[in-house]
Amino acid sequence: MAEDLQKRDERWQLRIRDLNKSFGSQHVLRGVNLDIERGKINIIIGGSGQGKSVLMKHLMGLLAPDSGHIYVDGQDIIGLSDVAIAKIQRKFGMVFQYAALFDSLNVVENIAFPLLERYRLPKKEVLERVRELLDRLDLKLPGIEQKFPGELSGGMRKRVGLARALIDRPEILLYDEPTTGLDPIATQNVDKMIRRTADDFSVTSVVISHDMASTFRIADRIAMLYEGVIVANGTRTEIMAAPHPVLKEFVETSGAVALAGAAS
Amino acid sequence: MSPPPRDTAAVQPRSETPKPFAAVAKVFSPLTGAVAVFGEHVLLLSRAVTWLFRRPLRIRLFFDQMEFVGVGSLPIIMLVGFFTGAVTALQAILALSLFQQQRYVGFGVGISLARELAPVFTALMITARAGSGMATELASMRITEQVDALTTFAVNPVQFLVTPRLVASAVMLPVMSMVFNVVGLVGVYVVSIISYHIDLGQVLALFRHGVDPVDYFQGLIKAFFFGITMATCACYQGLSVRGGAKEVGLATTRAVVSTSVTVLVLDYFLIQVMNVVFPYGGT
């Protein structure tokens, strides 16, 4: 089995095995096992404080687990040196909950930041790549390039955050609760954005969410994290039929079944 | 094998104490807590220094911070410096007039400025202005996940955020302290020569006789250490914040208070050390 995991798998890009993490006396992750499908939108759902964000930070190597393994294309990233981790991190892009744009930099500088930090590219080339990406993401507002994050709306900021995550052409995009704090229309726009990004840039998407309605709209695969373990994992239909009581409650209270039914 | 701790986790959770020692640990918990916090400050400082010698060197960040700490504080340092010199001269003249020795005002105030007033007041004023600013900026970067974002681009937050602030403070506090000295002496001049008509020649002669370059040197050394203290305390408080807007405010308060107290306590010990290194050879 171990040899299996250390080989690049065509279907599963990320494989998490027995991941454990405690903070003091709090045992947050209690043996998480999960596979993330290549090129698909994988959504991890769960209530607040169930360890979703902690799990996501592990994926990028921002946190080190107490035990367990994470295989990215067959390479275990746990226990690697900082330099090796930095190399793996280039495969990832992360879209933060509130965009986490750098306040002191304008839109172009924010988007160009990963390129300028990672490579010694000429400024002109960087600017070209930023502009091309702004076009592809429909971020065409007069003067937007020179605007600072504080001058942008929440939705705009999210898209600039996405642009920054995409600029280095990642293979895997992580979204941390992308629809939190947005109105229904903005939520739908973000859903579309995630869908389109997954299709246009052919990236593997991992989304952390507690928004069931939008989860059922866009997910290819859904996993539920509850009390530090994955209690259900599968496609939309599999999840709707899953017997786990907490998952059922989650699905029912969100009215997502009705929505999904209406959609099909 | 466990991986090395990442710098983002500025405050690592401590392991649990076995039961029989729990009661003892509870009694000593304020003390151990203080020691742990002190240790974390030292750790942050040593990391910031280590990262100074690793690539890449982002020169612009250093100059940005120097501008913020130094140039930005120039008006307030000049204002406070002038009035500190003037007020001290005023009081000195009153005291010296008991013995009809007002001409010693330049000597007395000059030496106080050089050794104590300039470095300490500069440190306190810059802490209020730039130290609080550093803590607030880093704290809000922390709670809006900008610090995590840095890490996702393989940028070390300590190298990117703490090292430039540390270097800028260590360089600019002595510089500002020197500005404070000069402007303070202008204050002395205005009070003693212009207001009290004390003889300039005598004041200058006694000043030159009594105030040594070593006095200024001691002041600069102190300012250097105060700069390191300020940057370390401010960055530590900023980076270790958790929660929301309220915590940002509290972190700023803690940064200013802890720096101010540390500066005054450290001052005492620095004087002790320097009295040994540079034995006082006054007049």
Side-chain angles (χ1 to χ4, degrees), chain A residues 111 115 119 121 124-134 166-169:
Chain A
I111 300 174
L115 290 184
Y119 316 101
L121 293 176
K124 208 177 145 204
E125 193 188 326
V126 171
L127 196 63
E128 262 168 32
R129 268 175 80 171
V130 171
R131 291 208 168 121
E132 185 200 323
L133 191 60
L134 284 172
L166 281 171
I167 190 78
D168 199 15
R169 297 168 189 151

mmCIF file of all heavy atoms in Angstrom, chain A residues 111 115 119 121 124-134 166-169:
data_model
loop_
_atom_site.group_PDB
_atom_site.id
_atom_site.type_symbol
_atom_site.label_atom_id
_atom_site.label_comp_id
_atom_site.label_asym_id
_atom_site.label_seq_id
_atom_site.Cartn_x
_atom_site.Cartn_y
_atom_site.Cartn_z
ATOM 1 N N ILE A 111 -0.674 40.885 -7.265
ATOM 2 C CA ILE A 111 -0.751 39.723 -8.152
ATOM 3 C C ILE A 111 0.643 39.274 -8.563
ATOM 4 O O ILE A 111 0.926 38.081 -8.684
ATOM 5 C CB ILE A 111 -1.622 40.041 -9.386
ATOM 6 C CG1 ILE A 111 -3.034 40.406 -8.924
ATOM 7 C CG2 ILE A 111 -1.667 38.857 -10.343
ATOM 8 C CD1 ILE A 111 -3.945 40.876 -10.034
ATOM 9 N N LEU A 115 5.393 35.847 -8.317
ATOM 10 C CA LEU A 115 6.383 35.753 -9.399
ATOM 11 C C LEU A 115 7.670 36.450 -9.006
ATOM 12 O O LEU A 115 8.770 35.932 -9.197
ATOM 13 C CB LEU A 115 5.845 36.397 -10.671
ATOM 14 C CG LEU A 115 4.717 35.670 -11.390
ATOM 15 C CD1 LEU A 115 4.388 36.398 -12.682
ATOM 16 C CD2 LEU A 115 5.120 34.233 -11.691
ATOM 17 N N TYR A 119 10.872 34.004 -8.745
ATOM 18 C CA TYR A 119 11.769 33.970 -9.898
ATOM 19 C C TYR A 119 12.352 35.363 -10.130
ATOM 20 O O TYR A 119 11.791 36.351 -9.704
ATOM 21 C CB TYR A 119 11.016 33.533 -11.162
ATOM 22 C CG TYR A 119 10.092 32.381 -10.939
ATOM 23 C CD1 TYR A 119 8.720 32.584 -10.799
ATOM 24 C CD2 TYR A 119 10.590 31.094 -10.844
ATOM 25 C CE1 TYR A 119 7.860 31.511 -10.577
ATOM 26 C CE2 TYR A 119 9.747 30.026 -10.623
ATOM 27 C CZ TYR A 119 8.384 30.233 -10.493
ATOM 28 O OH TYR A 119 7.544 29.190 -10.260
ATOM 29 N N LEU A 121 12.302 37.395 -12.792
ATOM 30 C CA LEU A 121 11.760 37.702 -14.112
ATOM 31 C C LEU A 121 11.861 39.195 -14.363
ATOM 32 O O LEU A 121 11.759 39.992 -13.438
ATOM 33 C CB LEU A 121 10.291 37.287 -14.176
ATOM 34 C CG LEU A 121 10.002 35.791 -14.105
ATOM 35 C CD1 LEU A 121 8.503 35.553 -14.084
ATOM 36 C CD2 LEU A 121 10.623 35.068 -15.276
ATOM 37 N N LYS A 124 8.887 43.689 -17.104
ATOM 38 C CA LYS A 124 7.949 43.808 -18.228
ATOM 39 C C LYS A 124 7.175 42.511 -18.430
ATOM 40 O O LYS A 124 5.963 42.513 -18.652
ATOM 41 C CB LYS A 124 8.747 44.160 -19.500
ATOM 42 C CG LYS A 124 7.934 44.942 -20.511
ATOM 43 C CD LYS A 124 8.777 45.326 -21.711
ATOM 44 C CE LYS A 124 7.911 45.282 -22.944
ATOM 45 N NZ LYS A 124 8.714 45.069 -24.147
ATOM 46 N N GLU A 125 7.895 41.411 -18.327
ATOM 47 C CA GLU A 125 7.254 40.116 -18.523
ATOM 48 C C GLU A 125 6.221 39.853 -17.430
ATOM 49 O O GLU A 125 5.132 39.348 -17.687
ATOM 50 C CB GLU A 125 8.329 39.028 -18.524
ATOM 51 C CG GLU A 125 7.809 37.704 -19.018
ATOM 52 C CD GLU A 125 8.832 36.584 -18.835
ATOM 53 O OE1 GLU A 125 10.043 36.882 -18.953
ATOM 54 O OE2 GLU A 125 8.410 35.460 -18.578
ATOM 55 N N VAL A 126 6.592 40.214 -16.211
ATOM 56 C CA VAL A 126 5.673 40.031 -15.087
ATOM 57 C C VAL A 126 4.399 40.829 -15.320
ATOM 58 O O VAL A 126 3.280 40.323 -15.166
ATOM 59 C CB VAL A 126 6.351 40.467 -13.768
ATOM 60 C CG1 VAL A 126 5.335 40.490 -12.634
ATOM 61 C CG2 VAL A 126 7.502 39.544 -13.431
ATOM 62 N N LEU A 127 4.584 42.080 -15.735
ATOM 63 C CA LEU A 127 3.427 42.951 -15.954
ATOM 64 C C LEU A 127 2.531 42.388 -17.054
ATOM 65 O O LEU A 127 1.302 42.416 -16.947
ATOM 66 C CB LEU A 127 3.907 44.358 -16.314
ATOM 67 C CG LEU A 127 2.854 45.451 -16.201
ATOM 68 C CD1 LEU A 127 2.384 45.592 -14.763
ATOM 69 C CD2 LEU A 127 3.387 46.782 -16.706
ATOM 70 N N GLU A 128 3.164 41.846 -18.096
ATOM 71 C CA GLU A 128 2.381 41.236 -19.176
ATOM 72 C C GLU A 128 1.544 40.079 -18.654
ATOM 73 O O GLU A 128 0.359 39.944 -18.984
ATOM 74 C CB GLU A 128 3.325 40.726 -20.272
ATOM 75 C CG GLU A 128 3.455 41.684 -21.431
ATOM 76 C CD GLU A 128 4.610 41.297 -22.347
ATOM 77 O OE1 GLU A 128 4.884 40.082 -22.477
ATOM 78 O OE2 GLU A 128 5.231 42.217 -22.905
ATOM 79 N N ARG A 129 2.180 39.245 -17.840
ATOM 80 C CA ARG A 129 1.451 38.087 -17.316
ATOM 81 C C ARG A 129 0.309 38.524 -16.407
ATOM 82 O O ARG A 129 -0.767 37.920 -16.415
ATOM 83 C CB ARG A 129 2.412 37.177 -16.559
ATOM 84 C CG ARG A 129 2.979 36.105 -17.468
ATOM 85 C CD ARG A 129 4.021 35.289 -16.766
ATOM 86 N NE ARG A 129 3.460 34.256 -15.902
ATOM 87 C CZ ARG A 129 4.220 33.318 -15.327
ATOM 88 N NH1 ARG A 129 5.511 33.295 -15.535
ATOM 89 N NH2 ARG A 129 3.678 32.414 -14.550
ATOM 90 N N VAL A 130 0.547 39.568 -15.627
ATOM 91 C CA VAL A 130 -0.513 40.066 -14.738
ATOM 92 C C VAL A 130 -1.681 40.578 -15.573
ATOM 93 O O VAL A 130 -2.850 40.259 -15.309
ATOM 94 C CB VAL A 130 0.030 41.182 -13.821
ATOM 95 C CG1 VAL A 130 -1.111 41.854 -13.072
ATOM 96 C CG2 VAL A 130 1.042 40.620 -12.838
ATOM 97 N N ARG A 131 -1.374 41.358 -16.606
ATOM 98 C CA ARG A 131 -2.443 41.936 -17.432
ATOM 99 C C ARG A 131 -3.238 40.847 -18.149
ATOM 100 O O ARG A 131 -4.463 40.908 -18.239
ATOM 101 C CB ARG A 131 -1.843 42.906 -18.444
ATOM 102 C CG ARG A 131 -1.294 44.137 -17.760
ATOM 103 C CD ARG A 131 -1.329 45.359 -18.653
ATOM 104 N NE ARG A 131 -1.056 46.526 -17.846
ATOM 105 C CZ ARG A 131 -0.027 47.357 -18.063
ATOM 106 N NH1 ARG A 131 0.793 47.148 -19.071
ATOM 107 N NH2 ARG A 131 0.144 48.395 -17.274
ATOM 108 N N GLU A 132 -2.518 39.857 -18.640
ATOM 109 C CA GLU A 132 -3.192 38.761 -19.339
ATOM 110 C C GLU A 132 -4.161 38.052 -18.392
ATOM 111 O O GLU A 132 -5.299 37.739 -18.761
ATOM 112 C CB GLU A 132 -2.110 37.790 -19.833
ATOM 113 C CG GLU A 132 -2.622 36.652 -20.674
ATOM 114 C CD GLU A 132 -1.623 35.500 -20.714
ATOM 115 O OE1 GLU A 132 -0.410 35.769 -20.755
ATOM 116 O OE2 GLU A 132 -2.074 34.347 -20.687
ATOM 117 N N LEU A 133 -3.696 37.850 -17.167
ATOM 118 C CA LEU A 133 -4.537 37.164 -16.189
ATOM 119 C C LEU A 133 -5.740 38.025 -15.804
ATOM 120 O O LEU A 133 -6.862 37.516 -15.671
ATOM 121 C CB LEU A 133 -3.693 36.829 -14.954
ATOM 122 C CG LEU A 133 -4.323 35.884 -13.950
ATOM 123 C CD1 LEU A 133 -4.629 34.550 -14.598
ATOM 124 C CD2 LEU A 133 -3.391 35.673 -12.770
ATOM 125 N N LEU A 134 -5.512 39.318 -15.636
ATOM 126 C CA LEU A 134 -6.620 40.227 -15.316
ATOM 127 C C LEU A 134 -7.686 40.148 -16.402
ATOM 128 O O LEU A 134 -8.887 40.127 -16.119
ATOM 129 C CB LEU A 134 -6.114 41.671 -15.177
ATOM 130 C CG LEU A 134 -5.363 42.012 -13.892
ATOM 131 C CD1 LEU A 134 -4.760 43.408 -13.981
ATOM 132 C CD2 LEU A 134 -6.282 41.935 -12.687
ATOM 133 N N LEU A 166 -3.377 32.340 -8.925
ATOM 134 C CA LEU A 166 -3.245 31.698 -10.228
ATOM 135 C C LEU A 166 -1.999 32.111 -11.006
ATOM 136 O O LEU A 166 -1.619 31.445 -11.959
ATOM 137 C CB LEU A 166 -4.469 32.025 -11.095
ATOM 138 C CG LEU A 166 -5.749 31.238 -10.832
ATOM 139 C CD1 LEU A 166 -6.889 31.845 -11.617
ATOM 140 C CD2 LEU A 166 -5.563 29.780 -11.213
ATOM 141 N N ILE A 167 -1.374 33.212 -10.612
ATOM 142 C CA ILE A 167 -0.342 33.818 -11.451
ATOM 143 C C ILE A 167 0.822 32.866 -11.695
ATOM 144 O O ILE A 167 1.423 32.873 -12.768
ATOM 145 C CB ILE A 167 0.149 35.162 -10.856
ATOM 146 C CG1 ILE A 167 1.025 35.915 -11.839
ATOM 147 C CG2 ILE A 167 0.902 34.963 -9.560
ATOM 148 C CD1 ILE A 167 0.287 36.617 -12.928
ATOM 149 N N ASP A 168 1.138 32.016 -10.740
ATOM 150 C CA ASP A 168 2.267 31.113 -10.929
ATOM 151 C C ASP A 168 1.815 29.768 -11.505
ATOM 152 O O ASP A 168 2.528 28.778 -11.387
ATOM 153 C CB ASP A 168 3.024 30.913 -9.610
ATOM 154 C CG ASP A 168 4.427 30.386 -9.837
ATOM 155 O OD1 ASP A 168 4.901 30.452 -10.992
ATOM 156 O OD2 ASP A 168 5.045 29.898 -8.874
ATOM 157 N N ARG A 169 0.640 29.747 -12.139
ATOM 158 C CA ARG A 169 0.079 28.552 -12.786
ATOM 159 C C ARG A 169 0.142 27.318 -11.888
ATOM 160 O O ARG A 169 0.857 26.349 -12.183
ATOM 161 C CB ARG A 169 0.828 28.282 -14.098
ATOM 162 C CG ARG A 169 0.617 29.426 -15.062
ATOM 163 C CD ARG A 169 1.554 29.349 -16.225
ATOM 164 N NE ARG A 169 1.451 30.578 -17.006
ATOM 165 C CZ ARG A 169 2.450 31.087 -17.716
ATOM 166 N NH1 ARG A 169 3.615 30.479 -17.755
ATOM 167 N NH2 ARG A 169 2.282 32.202 -18.397
#
